[in-house]
Amino acid sequence: QVQLVESGGGLVLAGGSLRLSCAASGSIFRINAMGWYRQTPGKQRELVATMPTNGDINYGDSVKGRFTISRDNAKNTVYLQMNSLKPEDTAVYYCNAWLVSGATPIPTGYWGQGTQVTVTS
């Protein structure tokens, strides 16, 4: 079974940094894209950053210049380096991947369980 597992969330002070990681495992044939979304109670889940295998990186407007997404394709892992964190960055961050696997032979979206990021003033 395909599984996405996030790590790296936590509690930080405004201005601090965190690095999130997400590793995809299973009988994966091809990953079309990996990325990060975030959600707070009462709000829509919003784009943080996505990194297609073939295409351009896309950042949400609120994180441009502060966050950097990267991938290690050999490890099926995506990272999110978050710098200059603000209280409004507080959210549950979800890893997302579109991939083809033995279980899902057509491109299918998967979500991790989420990791909490809390930024305090």
Side-chain angles (χ1 to χ4, degrees):
Q1 297 292 327
V2 173
Q3 187 176 25
L4 274 59
V5 179
E6 302 105 328
S7 63
L11 176 66
V12 299
L13 294 174
S17 298
L18 283 174
R19 184 192 297 270
L20 305 183
S21 300
C22 173
S25 62
S27 58
I28 298 169
F29 296 157
R30 183 179 72 251
I31 297 178
N32 295 340
M34 299 190 77
W36 295 92
Y37 294 75
R38 67 187 184 186
Q39 188 170 27
T40 58
K43 293 186 177 181
Q44 295 287 332
R45 187 169 298 186
E46 67 173 347
L47 168 72
V48 177
T50 59
M51 189 172 183
T53 301
N54 296 301
D56 297 327
I57 295 172
N58 188 28
Y59 290 100
D61 289 340
S62 64
V63 307
K64 288 180 179 178
R66 299 187 298 121
F67 292 6
T68 302
I69 189 171
S70 61
R71 286 174 60 182
D72 185 337
N73 293 334
K75 297 181 179 179
N76 292 334
T77 299
V78 62
Y79 305 93
L80 185 69
Q81 178 65 47
M82 305 187 295
N83 297 327
S84 302
L85 283 162
K86 304 174 181 179
E88 51 262 44
D89 295 318
T90 296
V92 177
Y93 284 70
Y94 294 93
C95 179
N96 171 260
W98 284 88
L99 55 85
V100 175
S101 71
T104 57
I106 60 174
T108 302
Y110 292 87
W111 293 97
Q113 80 283 0
T115 184
Q116 177 71 46
V117 172
T118 302
V119 185
T120 61
S121 300

